[in-house]
Amino acid sequence: MSLKARITDDMKAAMRAKDSERLITVRGLLAAIKQKEVDERVELDEAGVIAIVDKLIKQRKDSISQFNAGGRPDLAEKEQAELLVLEPYLPQRMSAEEVGAAVQAIVAELGAKGPGDMGKVMGAVKTQLAGKADMGLVSAAVKQALSQ
């Protein structure tokens, strides 16, 4: 079953269960997927759907930190609940050690020498690790690998 089909099934299950919080979050995810498909006139594959889920999760994390800094724990709690609904749609994330090893291999493969090659390395890393690793960890690993 594709990820998109699984998300649609989860929306139907949330409707049947009358779980309004989950339903709102899953509908928002499906709307974001549909918007991307309409804008670009394409049918998204698994990687495209994962990228959208990843983007929505990043937005939720940013919102949580902003709401906590602004003294709005009620809104932070709502965003946290949405985050818990979205996270299961991502594949298992790579550990920091696995990310470091993958980045080292890509740096060696490209023959990158220093910080000037960061853009080239990040482009290659993003295509290989998209959806599999937290891009914050990846960026830090690339910086560390290129500073040696």
Side-chain angles (χ1 to χ4, degrees):
M1 172 185 287
S2 75
L3 182 58
K4 203 160 102 175
R6 190 175 122 213
I7 294 168
T8 303
D9 287 349
D10 287 351
M11 181 186 71
K12 292 174 186 175
M15 285 174 152
R16 285 187 206 105
K18 297 186 181 5
D19 185 353
S20 61
E21 288 83 19
R22 183 175 189 78
L23 179 61
I24 289 169
T25 303
V26 174
R27 274 188 175 157
L29 172 57
L30 282 172
I33 292 168
K34 190 69 171 170
Q35 184 67 45
K36 184 80 165 181
E37 288 179 339
V38 168
D39 287 349
E40 297 182 7
R41 293 186 171 110
V42 295
E43 182 76 21
L44 288 179
D45 58 353
E46 291 291 308
V49 174
I50 289 170
I52 290 175
V53 174
D54 209 17
K55 177 181 169 191
L56 292 176
I57 286 175
K58 183 181 183 313
Q59 288 174 348
R60 297 305 177 280
K61 288 179 179 177
D62 290 345
S63 296
I64 290 168
S65 66
Q66 291 296 318
F67 287 142
N68 285 331
R72 294 296 307 264
D74 54 327
L75 295 175
E77 191 175 301
K78 179 183 172 288
E79 293 290 321
Q80 183 65 37
E82 289 183 8
L83 184 65
L84 292 175
V85 171
L86 292 171
E87 283 180 334
Y89 296 119
L90 287 179
Q92 182 66 36
R93 294 296 192 152
M94 296 171 73
S95 69
E97 294 81 27
E98 292 171 325
V99 169
V103 165
Q104 289 291 346
I106 292 169
V107 167
E109 177 184 317
L110 294 175
K113 299 289 183 222
D117 294 328
M118 180 141 183
K120 179 170 66 170
V121 173
M122 281 302 291
V125 169
K126 279 185 179 182
T127 59
Q128 290 186 18
L129 301 182
K132 298 177 189 170
D134 178 21
M135 284 300 148
L137 272 176
V138 169
S139 179
V142 169
K143 285 178 187 171
Q144 180 185 6
L146 293 177
S147 67
Q148 295 175 351

